[in-house]
Amino acid sequence: MTLPHPHPHPHPPDRPRQARAAGPVTTYRTELRFTLGGPKVAGFWENRATADRTLTSWIGLYGSHPQTHIRLVEVSAAGERLLQQWPKP
């Protein structure tokens, strides 16, 4: 038995995704560890503002834990660069 389509007009076919402009890709990684060298939770974003908001949020949520380490790292073809960390050195 075939059920009728729930919408009167079927969805249009998927559009092809537009290719990104060629050039260096930079991502931002936010890392959270509860002990130095221990397992980490990490998030990756292409948008720096999103990574900054995550860093600020994680500091607010977990920064009072005595051994918490939170970092924001820029990752590009040139390598990694530490942008911010908590606690401050």
Side-chain angles (χ1 to χ4, degrees):
M1 176 175 172
T2 303
L3 296 175
H5 195 280
H7 303 288
H9 302 288
H11 298 287
D14 289 337
R15 294 182 191 149
R17 293 184 180 187
Q18 294 180 352
R20 291 184 177 193
V25 175
T26 299
T27 58
Y28 301 93
R29 182 179 70 229
T30 307
E31 303 174 346
L32 166 67
R33 295 177 191 258
F34 287 104
T35 58
L36 191 59
K40 70 180 170 186
V41 175
F44 295 83
W45 294 271
E46 291 181 6
N47 184 299
R48 169 74 189 263
T50 303
D52 285 333
R53 282 192 305 273
T54 302
L55 177 79
T56 300
S57 174
W58 287 1
I59 290 171
L61 290 169
Y62 309 111
S64 63
H65 188 278
Q67 294 184 20
T68 298
H69 294 274
I70 304 169
R71 300 174 4 132
L72 174 58
V73 179
E74 180 183 72
V75 181
S76 69
E80 296 185 0
R81 181 171 66 108
L82 178 64
L83 299 175
Q84 295 183 48
Q85 66 180 0
W86 178 265
K88 303 272 186 200

XYZ file of all heavy atoms in Angstrom:
710
model
N 0.844 -1.169 0.000
C 0.000 0.000 0.000
C 0.891 1.234 0.000
O 1.799 1.349 0.803
C -0.891 -0.014 1.231
C -1.739 1.199 1.369
S -2.824 0.964 2.779
C -3.500 2.557 2.850
N 0.623 2.151 -0.868
C 1.387 3.384 -0.954
C 0.591 4.495 -0.296
O -0.575 4.694 -0.615
C 1.669 3.749 -2.417
O 2.342 2.658 -3.027
C 2.491 5.002 -2.509
N 1.234 5.181 0.640
C 0.572 6.294 1.311
C 0.721 7.553 0.480
O 1.734 7.744 -0.193
C 1.191 6.511 2.694
C 1.024 5.359 3.678
C 1.783 5.662 4.961
C -0.443 5.117 3.985
N -0.269 8.427 0.522
C -0.146 9.678 -0.226
C 0.944 10.546 0.370
O 1.244 10.475 1.563
C -1.525 10.321 -0.084
C -2.109 9.710 1.137
C -1.517 8.337 1.259
N 1.552 11.351 -0.458
C 2.586 12.279 0.004
C 1.938 13.277 0.945
O 0.861 13.797 0.663
C 3.227 12.987 -1.199
C 4.507 13.669 -0.853
N 4.543 14.887 -0.250
C 5.797 13.262 -1.004
C 5.802 15.241 -0.053
N 6.575 14.263 -0.510
N 2.547 13.574 2.112
C 1.912 14.460 3.095
C 1.796 15.914 2.634
O 1.018 16.670 3.190
C 2.822 14.359 4.316
C 4.136 13.914 3.776
C 3.833 13.084 2.568
N 2.541 16.303 1.634
C 2.480 17.671 1.127
C 1.863 17.650 -0.266
O 2.142 16.744 -1.056
C 3.878 18.294 1.057
C 4.586 18.301 2.373
N 4.239 19.132 3.399
C 5.613 17.537 2.828
C 5.020 18.890 4.437
N 5.860 17.929 4.122
N 1.039 18.648 -0.603
C 0.424 18.630 -1.924
C 1.436 18.732 -3.058
O 1.186 18.244 -4.145
C -0.512 19.838 -1.911
C -0.067 20.688 -0.785
C 0.644 19.783 0.183
N 2.570 19.372 -2.818
C 3.598 19.505 -3.843
C 4.879 18.887 -3.314
O 5.364 19.273 -2.265
C 3.841 20.979 -4.185
C 2.604 21.669 -4.649
N 2.025 21.429 -5.871
C 1.810 22.582 -4.039
C 0.942 22.170 -6.000
N 0.784 22.871 -4.897
N 5.415 17.935 -4.016
C 6.663 17.327 -3.528
C 7.779 18.361 -3.444
O 7.749 19.374 -4.117
C 6.995 16.258 -4.561
C 5.944 16.319 -5.594
C 4.964 17.388 -5.257
N 8.731 18.071 -2.584
C 9.879 18.961 -2.418
C 10.662 19.057 -3.715
O 10.797 18.066 -4.432
C 10.801 18.456 -1.305
C 10.133 18.417 0.030
N 9.855 19.555 0.736
C 9.671 17.384 0.769
C 9.262 19.222 1.872
N 9.139 17.914 1.920
N 11.200 20.237 -4.018
C 12.025 20.343 -5.226
C 13.296 19.529 -5.062
O 13.728 19.259 -3.947
C 12.343 21.839 -5.316
C 12.171 22.345 -3.927
C 11.119 21.477 -3.279
N 13.900 19.113 -6.159
C 15.144 18.343 -6.041
C 16.220 19.183 -5.356
O 16.199 20.413 -5.408
C 15.521 18.033 -7.481
C 14.714 18.960 -8.324
C 13.521 19.381 -7.519
N 17.127 18.484 -4.684
C 18.225 19.181 -4.000
C 19.017 20.008 -4.996
O 19.282 19.574 -6.114
C 19.159 18.182 -3.315
C 18.512 17.537 -2.112
O 17.566 18.146 -1.557
O 18.948 16.450 -1.730
N 19.379 21.180 -4.558
C 20.227 22.036 -5.385
C 21.681 21.656 -5.147
O 22.060 21.331 -4.023
C 20.038 23.503 -4.997
C 18.669 24.008 -5.290
C 18.574 25.471 -4.922
N 17.177 25.869 -4.964
C 16.658 26.798 -4.196
N 17.393 27.428 -3.326
N 15.391 27.104 -4.301
N 22.502 21.717 -6.179
C 23.925 21.435 -5.944
C 24.514 22.506 -5.037
O 24.140 23.671 -5.100
C 24.543 21.484 -7.345
C 23.543 22.133 -8.216
C 22.198 22.023 -7.557
N 25.397 22.087 -4.169
C 26.054 23.032 -3.265
C 27.046 23.871 -4.035
O 27.735 23.364 -4.918
C 26.766 22.292 -2.142
C 25.806 21.609 -1.227
C 26.533 20.991 -0.089
N 25.567 20.339 0.788
C 25.865 19.812 1.940
N 27.108 19.829 2.357
N 24.951 19.245 2.669
N 27.101 25.126 -3.667
C 28.057 26.014 -4.322
C 29.447 25.763 -3.758
O 29.617 25.573 -2.560
C 27.672 27.472 -4.109
C 26.372 27.841 -4.777
C 26.017 29.290 -4.552
O 26.657 29.976 -3.779
N 24.981 29.744 -5.227
N 30.412 25.746 -4.635
C 31.797 25.539 -4.211
C 32.295 26.782 -3.493
O 31.916 27.900 -3.820
C 32.675 25.240 -5.412
N 33.132 26.566 -2.503
C 33.741 27.683 -1.781
C 34.865 28.262 -2.604
O 35.475 27.579 -3.416
C 34.312 27.200 -0.452
C 33.254 26.809 0.498
C 33.906 26.453 1.780
N 32.866 26.138 2.739
C 33.071 26.017 4.007
N 34.267 26.173 4.486
N 32.101 25.727 4.823
N 35.138 29.508 -2.324
C 36.271 30.156 -2.990
C 37.554 29.465 -2.537
O 37.707 29.104 -1.377
C 36.306 31.635 -2.631
N 38.457 29.292 -3.473
C 39.736 28.670 -3.138
C 40.531 29.606 -2.244
O 40.427 30.818 -2.339
C 40.518 28.362 -4.401
N 41.294 29.044 -1.361
C 42.120 29.845 -0.470
C 42.366 29.088 0.815
O 41.839 28.003 1.023
N 43.148 29.662 1.691
C 43.460 28.976 2.943
C 42.213 28.841 3.818
O 41.392 29.740 3.871
C 44.509 29.876 3.601
C 44.366 31.202 2.942
C 43.791 30.952 1.582
N 42.080 27.702 4.440
C 40.960 27.446 5.332
C 41.483 27.528 6.760
O 42.445 26.850 7.109
C 40.340 26.061 5.066
C 39.254 25.761 6.080
C 39.801 25.989 3.653
N 40.846 28.360 7.548
C 41.200 28.481 8.960
C 40.008 28.022 9.780
O 38.878 28.412 9.507
C 41.538 29.936 9.317
O 42.657 30.354 8.524
C 41.890 30.078 10.783
N 40.259 27.172 10.758
C 39.223 26.776 11.686
C 39.685 27.134 13.091
O 40.873 27.372 13.340
C 38.911 25.259 11.609
O 40.107 24.527 11.878
C 38.358 24.871 10.267
N 38.733 27.171 13.991
C 39.013 27.506 15.378
C 38.537 26.351 16.241
O 37.413 25.880 16.103
C 38.312 28.814 15.760
C 38.772 29.946 14.880
C 38.077 30.278 13.731
C 39.949 30.626 15.167
C 38.518 31.290 12.897
C 40.399 31.632 14.327
C 39.681 31.955 13.202
O 40.130 32.946 12.371
N 39.427 25.885 17.119
C 39.126 24.752 17.997
C 39.079 25.254 19.436
O 40.017 25.891 19.918
C 40.199 23.677 17.841
C 39.941 22.438 18.684
C 41.009 21.383 18.471
N 42.280 21.823 19.044
C 43.437 21.785 18.390
N 43.516 21.349 17.160
N 44.538 22.193 18.985
N 37.984 24.964 20.104
C 37.864 25.255 21.529
C 37.986 23.923 22.255
O 37.328 22.957 21.894
C 36.521 25.925 21.842
O 36.362 27.059 21.001
C 36.464 26.382 23.283
N 38.857 23.879 23.265
C 39.131 22.638 24.003
C 38.829 22.832 25.480
O 39.133 23.881 26.050
C 40.608 22.256 23.907
C 41.137 22.090 22.522
C 42.641 21.845 22.522
O 43.312 22.062 23.553
O 43.150 21.445 21.472
N 38.271 21.803 26.100
C 37.984 21.802 27.530
C 38.554 20.532 28.132
O 38.292 19.438 27.645
C 36.468 21.853 27.752
C 35.951 21.541 29.149
C 36.391 22.621 30.141
C 34.437 21.417 29.133
N 39.374 20.696 29.164
C 39.925 19.559 29.914
C 39.706 19.836 31.402
O 39.910 20.950 31.861
C 41.421 19.399 29.673
C 41.796 19.033 28.264
C 43.327 18.975 28.142
N 43.761 18.888 26.773
C 44.162 17.761 26.192
N 44.188 16.651 26.870
N 44.536 17.771 24.931
N 39.345 18.788 32.138
C 39.173 18.944 33.575
C 40.450 18.636 34.342
O 40.555 18.951 35.519
C 38.006 18.097 34.076
C 36.682 18.659 33.665
C 35.961 18.089 32.641
C 36.170 19.797 34.273
C 34.747 18.615 32.244
C 34.967 20.339 33.880
C 34.244 19.743 32.869
N 41.412 18.023 33.675
C 42.743 17.827 34.250
C 43.754 18.032 33.128
O 43.513 17.624 31.991
C 42.929 16.419 34.849
O 42.703 15.442 33.849
C 42.000 16.179 36.024
N 44.867 18.655 33.437
C 45.892 18.922 32.441
C 46.380 17.599 31.851
O 46.746 16.687 32.577
C 47.049 19.684 33.059
C 48.075 20.248 32.083
C 47.401 21.205 31.112
C 49.175 20.968 32.820
N 46.327 17.468 30.527
C 46.746 16.250 29.856
C 45.675 15.175 29.823
O 45.884 14.119 29.241
N 44.524 15.426 30.458
C 43.445 14.444 30.474
C 42.630 14.495 29.194
O 42.943 15.239 28.263
N 41.571 13.694 29.136
C 40.717 13.694 27.951
C 40.126 15.077 27.719
O 39.942 15.851 28.666
C 39.616 12.686 28.277
C 39.963 12.064 29.566
C 41.092 12.818 30.172
N 39.828 15.388 26.472
C 39.297 16.714 26.182
C 38.006 16.631 25.396
O 37.740 15.663 24.694
C 40.309 17.560 25.420
C 40.558 17.126 23.999
C 41.580 18.028 23.325
C 42.011 17.441 21.998
N 43.079 18.203 21.380
N 37.226 17.684 25.556
C 36.051 17.927 24.730
C 36.476 19.042 23.795
O 37.077 20.028 24.232
C 34.855 18.376 25.593
C 33.671 18.745 24.722
C 34.492 17.311 26.599
N 36.185 18.902 22.503
C 36.610 19.925 21.548
C 35.487 20.235 20.578
O 34.702 19.361 20.219
C 37.851 19.464 20.789
N 35.418 21.500 20.173
C 34.501 21.931 19.141
C 35.279 22.661 18.075
O 36.272 23.341 18.380
N 34.871 22.525 16.828
C 35.564 23.147 15.697
C 34.592 24.054 14.954
O 33.477 23.641 14.647
C 36.081 22.077 14.727
C 37.136 21.191 15.313
C 36.796 20.104 16.099
C 38.472 21.451 15.070
C 37.773 19.286 16.640
C 39.449 20.628 15.610
C 39.101 19.553 16.398
N 35.032 25.277 14.642
C 34.202 26.239 13.927
C 35.018 26.962 12.883
O 36.206 27.184 13.053
C 33.624 27.275 14.892
C 32.669 26.670 15.849
C 31.329 26.504 15.685
C 32.968 26.130 17.132
N 30.789 25.883 16.781
C 31.777 25.638 17.686
C 34.140 25.988 17.871
C 31.704 25.051 18.931
C 34.073 25.394 19.107
C 32.861 24.934 19.627
N 34.363 27.378 11.812
C 35.002 28.230 10.812
C 34.849 29.695 11.181
O 35.577 30.538 10.697
C 34.408 27.965 9.430
C 34.766 26.602 8.886
C 34.190 26.343 7.508
O 33.595 27.263 6.910
O 34.337 25.219 7.045
N 33.906 29.994 12.045
C 33.617 31.371 12.431
C 34.263 31.667 13.785
O 33.936 31.028 14.791
C 32.095 31.557 12.501
C 31.685 32.957 12.798
O 32.028 33.504 13.840
N 30.945 33.545 11.891
N 35.158 32.640 13.822
C 35.875 32.979 15.063
C 34.914 33.439 16.150
O 35.088 33.106 17.327
C 36.927 34.059 14.754
C 37.569 34.717 15.963
C 38.573 33.809 16.654
N 39.024 34.363 17.912
C 40.148 35.056 18.088
N 40.944 35.299 17.071
N 40.483 35.498 19.277
N 33.877 34.212 15.789
C 32.930 34.712 16.798
C 32.232 33.557 17.516
O 32.010 33.621 18.730
C 31.919 35.645 16.149
N 31.904 32.501 16.798
C 31.268 31.328 17.414
C 32.228 30.665 18.389
O 31.847 30.293 19.504
C 30.827 30.326 16.337
O 29.940 30.987 15.435
C 30.140 29.119 16.936
N 33.482 30.529 17.997
C 34.490 29.932 18.886
C 34.701 30.799 20.124
O 34.826 30.275 21.243
C 35.796 29.734 18.135
N 34.714 32.124 19.959
C 34.862 33.031 21.108
C 33.693 32.890 22.074
O 33.881 32.875 23.298
C 34.968 34.486 20.639
C 36.323 34.826 20.044
O 37.330 34.184 20.406
O 36.371 35.753 19.208
N 32.466 32.798 21.535
C 31.285 32.647 22.402
C 31.340 31.327 23.159
O 30.983 31.265 24.343
C 29.998 32.729 21.582
C 29.604 34.128 21.192
C 28.189 34.204 20.635
N 27.943 33.308 19.516
C 28.180 33.604 18.253
N 28.678 34.786 17.928
N 27.904 32.736 17.297
N 31.801 30.280 22.492
C 31.924 28.983 23.159
C 32.956 29.049 24.275
O 32.720 28.550 25.382
C 32.297 27.887 22.146
O 31.292 27.847 21.135
C 32.412 26.531 22.807
N 34.091 29.668 24.004
C 35.127 29.820 25.031
C 34.561 30.546 26.245
O 34.699 30.089 27.381
C 36.320 30.587 24.456
C 37.445 30.877 25.451
C 38.306 29.645 25.656
C 38.283 32.040 24.976
N 33.886 31.657 26.019
C 33.311 32.445 27.117
C 32.275 31.628 27.889
O 32.248 31.638 29.125
C 32.665 33.728 26.566
O 33.673 34.487 25.899
C 32.053 34.569 27.666
N 31.448 30.891 27.159
C 30.430 30.057 27.801
C 31.066 28.969 28.660
O 30.660 28.741 29.803
C 29.540 29.430 26.721
O 28.635 28.525 27.285
N 32.082 28.294 28.127
C 32.741 27.229 28.875
C 33.462 27.772 30.101
O 33.487 27.119 31.140
C 33.698 26.459 27.985
C 33.008 25.550 26.994
C 31.660 25.391 26.826
C 33.626 24.698 26.057
N 31.416 24.494 25.825
C 32.599 24.042 25.327
C 34.941 24.424 25.729
C 32.858 23.122 24.326
C 35.206 23.508 24.719
C 34.178 22.858 24.031
N 34.031 28.959 30.009
C 34.673 29.560 31.185
C 33.615 29.811 32.256
O 33.832 29.528 33.433
C 35.427 30.851 30.815
C 36.656 30.513 29.971
C 35.813 31.637 32.075
C 37.351 31.721 29.359
N 32.458 30.336 31.848
C 31.373 30.570 32.803
C 30.840 29.294 33.426
O 30.535 29.250 34.616
N 30.727 28.240 32.637
C 30.172 26.981 33.134
C 31.173 26.156 33.936
O 30.816 25.532 34.935
C 29.662 26.135 31.958
C 28.416 26.643 31.249
C 28.186 25.874 29.954
C 27.212 26.524 32.157
N 32.423 26.113 33.490
C 33.396 25.176 34.063
C 34.645 25.835 34.638
O 35.478 25.150 35.222
C 33.839 24.168 32.989
C 32.687 23.513 32.280
C 32.423 23.787 30.939
C 31.844 22.631 32.943
C 31.360 23.187 30.281
C 30.772 22.037 32.294
C 30.537 22.318 30.963
O 29.494 21.732 30.323
N 34.796 27.134 34.474
C 36.021 27.821 34.868
C 36.325 27.815 36.355
O 37.470 27.999 36.752
N 35.313 27.584 37.195
C 35.572 27.586 38.643
C 36.134 26.255 39.141
O 36.612 26.168 40.266
C 34.292 27.924 39.411
O 33.315 26.925 39.178
N 36.090 25.230 38.326
C 36.683 23.948 38.697
C 38.191 24.146 38.800
O 38.807 24.693 37.893
C 36.352 22.890 37.643
C 36.759 21.506 38.013
N 38.039 21.051 37.845
C 36.059 20.485 38.544
C 38.116 19.797 38.254
N 36.924 19.429 38.677
N 38.824 23.727 39.901
C 40.225 24.096 40.142
C 41.235 23.618 39.096
O 42.274 24.238 38.924
C 40.537 23.482 41.508
C 39.462 22.499 41.774
C 38.270 22.906 40.964
N 40.970 22.532 38.388
C 41.960 22.032 37.437
C 41.520 22.176 35.985
O 42.138 21.613 35.088
C 42.282 20.571 37.734
C 42.967 20.392 39.074
C 43.361 18.952 39.305
O 43.475 18.158 38.389
N 43.570 18.609 40.562
N 40.461 22.938 35.732
C 39.952 23.107 34.376
C 40.933 23.886 33.515
O 41.515 24.879 33.957
C 38.602 23.853 34.388
O 37.661 23.066 35.102
C 38.086 24.102 32.996
N 41.118 23.426 32.283
C 41.927 24.136 31.290
C 41.074 24.274 30.034
O 40.565 23.285 29.510
C 43.216 23.371 30.974
C 44.135 23.301 32.141
N 45.032 24.294 32.433
C 44.267 22.368 33.107
C 45.690 23.965 33.523
N 45.243 22.803 33.960
N 40.912 25.512 29.555
C 40.113 25.798 28.367
C 40.994 26.598 27.422
O 41.658 27.546 27.832
C 38.842 26.588 28.742
C 38.043 25.820 29.801
C 37.986 26.844 27.501
C 36.915 26.607 30.429
N 40.982 26.201 26.143
C 41.845 26.863 25.158
C 41.074 27.139 23.874
O 40.189 26.380 23.508
C 43.038 25.974 24.797
C 43.916 25.630 25.948
C 45.037 24.637 25.676
N 45.217 24.183 24.321
C 46.376 24.148 23.681
N 47.475 24.525 24.285
N 46.470 23.703 22.446
N 41.473 28.211 23.201
C 41.000 28.521 21.859
C 42.215 28.518 20.950
O 43.181 29.252 21.190
C 40.304 29.878 21.815
C 39.880 30.376 20.437
C 38.937 29.404 19.752
C 39.252 31.747 20.548
N 42.197 27.652 19.930
C 43.337 27.448 19.051
C 42.917 27.723 17.611
O 41.861 27.266 17.172
C 43.865 25.994 19.169
C 45.040 25.755 18.248
C 44.229 25.676 20.614
N 43.742 28.478 16.899
C 43.539 28.696 15.470
C 44.269 27.587 14.723
O 45.443 27.335 14.984
C 44.094 30.056 15.075
C 43.935 30.379 13.604
C 44.580 31.707 13.266
O 45.833 31.772 13.251
O 43.839 32.670 13.042
N 43.586 26.922 13.792
C 44.170 25.819 13.033
C 44.129 26.190 11.556
O 43.067 26.499 11.011
C 43.386 24.508 13.268
C 44.019 23.359 12.503
C 43.290 24.192 14.744
N 45.290 26.181 10.909
C 45.372 26.501 9.482
C 46.446 25.626 8.849
O 47.102 24.836 9.528
C 45.697 27.980 9.281
O 47.018 28.252 9.693
N 46.631 25.802 7.549
C 47.668 25.037 6.853
C 49.050 25.333 7.422
O 49.954 24.505 7.345
C 47.628 25.353 5.358
N 49.224 26.516 8.017
C 50.515 26.892 8.599
C 50.752 26.233 9.957
O 51.850 26.297 10.491
C 50.596 28.409 8.736
N 49.725 25.613 10.533
C 49.867 24.976 11.836
C 48.832 25.482 12.821
O 47.800 26.013 12.440
N 49.135 25.322 14.097
C 48.223 25.735 15.161
C 48.809 26.912 15.923
O 50.023 27.006 16.097
C 47.977 24.571 16.128
C 47.292 23.406 15.483
C 46.949 22.308 16.470
O 47.244 22.430 17.680
O 46.376 21.312 16.026
N 47.906 27.784 16.388
C 48.336 28.946 17.165
C 47.360 29.147 18.314
O 46.151 29.266 18.098
C 48.370 30.178 16.270
C 48.837 31.439 16.968
C 49.063 32.564 15.973
N 47.842 33.003 15.335
C 47.230 34.171 15.580
N 47.747 35.018 16.428
N 46.129 34.491 14.936
N 47.866 29.164 19.541
C 47.041 29.396 20.721
C 46.595 30.850 20.742
O 47.424 31.761 20.701
C 47.819 29.060 21.997
C 47.100 29.287 23.310
C 45.885 28.368 23.419
C 48.046 29.069 24.475
N 45.289 31.075 20.790
C 44.758 32.441 20.807
C 44.396 32.886 22.230
O 44.666 34.020 22.604
C 43.511 32.530 19.914
C 43.738 32.194 18.438
C 42.418 32.204 17.694
C 44.717 33.180 17.812
N 43.766 32.001 22.999
C 43.375 32.326 24.373
C 43.391 31.064 25.198
O 43.235 29.965 24.664
C 41.957 32.917 24.417
C 41.803 34.243 23.720
C 40.396 34.766 23.878
O 39.837 34.791 24.971
N 39.804 35.191 22.773
N 43.536 31.239 26.502
C 43.449 30.090 27.407
C 42.932 30.536 28.761
O 43.042 31.691 29.142
C 44.785 29.385 27.531
C 45.872 30.198 28.192
C 47.180 29.425 28.267
O 47.275 28.286 27.830
N 48.199 30.044 28.816
N 42.366 29.564 29.474
C 41.873 29.779 30.831
C 42.337 28.609 31.667
O 42.199 27.463 31.236
C 40.339 29.843 30.827
C 39.768 30.010 32.190
C 39.326 29.009 33.012
C 39.600 31.222 32.901
N 38.898 29.530 34.186
C 39.055 30.895 34.143
C 39.868 32.545 32.612
C 38.762 31.877 35.084
C 39.571 33.507 33.551
C 39.023 33.153 34.765
N 42.898 28.823 32.832
C 43.162 30.144 33.414
C 44.280 30.848 32.671
O 45.074 30.220 31.968
C 43.557 29.841 34.849
C 44.044 28.415 34.838
C 43.334 27.740 33.702
N 44.303 32.156 32.832
C 45.350 32.953 32.187
C 46.696 32.551 32.790
O 46.796 32.292 33.969
C 45.111 34.448 32.413
C 43.757 34.936 31.932
C 43.811 35.337 30.516
C 42.480 35.947 30.114
N 42.274 35.951 28.704
N 47.753 32.515 31.963
C 49.070 32.130 32.498
C 49.627 33.181 33.453
O 49.280 34.287 33.475
C 49.942 32.021 31.252
C 49.207 32.644 30.137
C 47.781 32.796 30.559
